[in-house]
Amino acid sequence: MRVAIYLRVSTSEQTTENQRRELLAVAARHEWHVVEIFEDAGISGAKGRDQRPGLDAMSKAVARREFEMVAAWSVDRLGRSLIDLLKLLMDLHAKGVDLFLHQQGLDSSTPSGRAMFQMLGTFAEFERAMIRERVQAGLSRARAQGKRLGRRRLEDSDAKKVAAIRAARKGGKGVRRIASDLGVGVGTVLRVTAGVGL
């Protein structure tokens, strides 16, 4: 059987080497012929196909029927969104390409495997929603405690740049020119120079 391997890690500090080694060993045990390895290193599973070049190339190869199965480390390597995951499964199924997930030991060539893939996708979506809710709760708690969120304002972090902005504005320079010259936003220049006489 001709098989493609898909590897993905979310950050540049992580490596796909463990996934590669394990999936190549699985392929050898099953006597699969690995025709290509697609990789997205340092790319979140929440990103769509258009932002994951490895997944995009694999999907194009699926359309050309270059292999009969895609092997991946686990369901979360393919995607975190149930909708994206199901779309990928439908695309694979439409072209007669099966999916093998090593961690879950699932194979979409069986009816039970297809049912499990749908449930795993649901749980992956649920987990992502729970993470999002925890982050939002943490931000709300921080706001309630009076903590300031986001970047520090220029006025609080770089007195020299603030002075340069004000001096340039007093000298008659335009807001856009000041922003460009000093590498700040137009809104920052307007805020810093509010009340500065021309």
Side-chain angles (χ1 to χ4, degrees), residues 119-179:
M119 289 191 303
L120 286 169
T122 300
F123 288 126
E125 176 83 5
F126 176 72
E127 179 183 15
R128 186 161 168 71
M130 294 301 293
I131 291 169
R132 190 170 38 249
E133 284 180 19
R134 285 195 298 269
V135 168
Q136 289 301 322
L139 291 172
S140 294
R141 179 185 43 77
R143 281 188 201 99
Q145 293 174 345
K147 292 186 180 169
R148 194 139 194 257
L149 303 175
R151 289 187 296 182
R152 289 176 43 196
R153 290 170 29 136
L154 188 66
E155 295 91 314
D156 301 329
S157 62
D158 194 340
K160 286 182 183 177
K161 194 170 272 191
V162 168
I165 290 170
R166 288 181 176 152
R169 191 70 180 123
K170 279 184 185 175
K173 235 183 198 182
V175 172
R176 291 183 196 277
R177 169 61 85 185
I178 295 169

Side-chain angles (χ1 to χ4, degrees), residues 18-182:
N18 293 335
Q19 294 174 35
R20 180 186 309 267
R21 185 174 43 81
E22 288 290 325
L23 290 170
L24 287 173
V26 167
R29 281 195 305 274
H30 287 89
E31 297 180 358
W32 294 337
H33 174 62
V34 176
V35 294
E36 194 158 357
I37 297 176
F38 299 94
E39 182 174 342
D40 284 319
I43 301 175
S44 170
K47 300 217 181 282
R49 175 180 159 182
D50 59 323
Q51 296 175 314
R52 293 165 65 185
L55 182 64
D56 186 51
M58 184 187 76
S59 296
K60 289 175 181 172
V62 165
R64 293 187 300 268
R65 296 185 177 150
E66 293 180 6
F67 36 81
E68 288 96 34
M69 180 179 278
V70 171
W73 177 255
S74 76
V75 69
D76 66 338
R77 300 300 87 196
L78 294 171
R80 300 260 171 84
S81 161
L82 176 60
I83 294 167
D84 291 341
L85 185 60
L86 291 179
K87 183 180 180 329
L88 176 64
L89 285 172
M90 287 190 303
D91 290 347
L92 293 174
H93 182 69
K95 295 296 181 180
V97 177
D98 289 316
L99 180 62
F100 173 81
L101 297 177
H102 179 64
Q103 284 296 97
Q104 290 78 25
L106 295 174
D107 182 345
S108 71
S109 64
T110 66
S112 62
R114 282 190 293 276
M116 285 302 294
F117 279 120
Q118 290 177 352
M119 289 191 303
L120 286 169
T122 300
F123 288 126
E125 176 83 5
F126 176 72
E127 179 183 15
R128 186 161 168 71
M130 294 301 293
I131 291 169
R132 190 170 38 249
E133 284 180 19
R134 285 195 298 269
V135 168
Q136 289 301 322
L139 291 172
S140 294
R141 179 185 43 77
R143 281 188 201 99
Q145 293 174 345
K147 292 186 180 169
R148 194 139 194 257
L149 303 175
R151 289 187 296 182
R152 289 176 43 196
R153 290 170 29 136
L154 188 66
E155 295 91 314
D156 301 329
S157 62
D158 194 340
K160 286 182 183 177
K161 194 170 272 191
V162 168
I165 290 170
R166 288 181 176 152
R169 191 70 180 123
K170 279 184 185 175
K173 235 183 198 182
V175 172
R176 291 183 196 277
R177 169 61 85 185
I178 295 169
S180 175
D181 289 351
L182 296 175

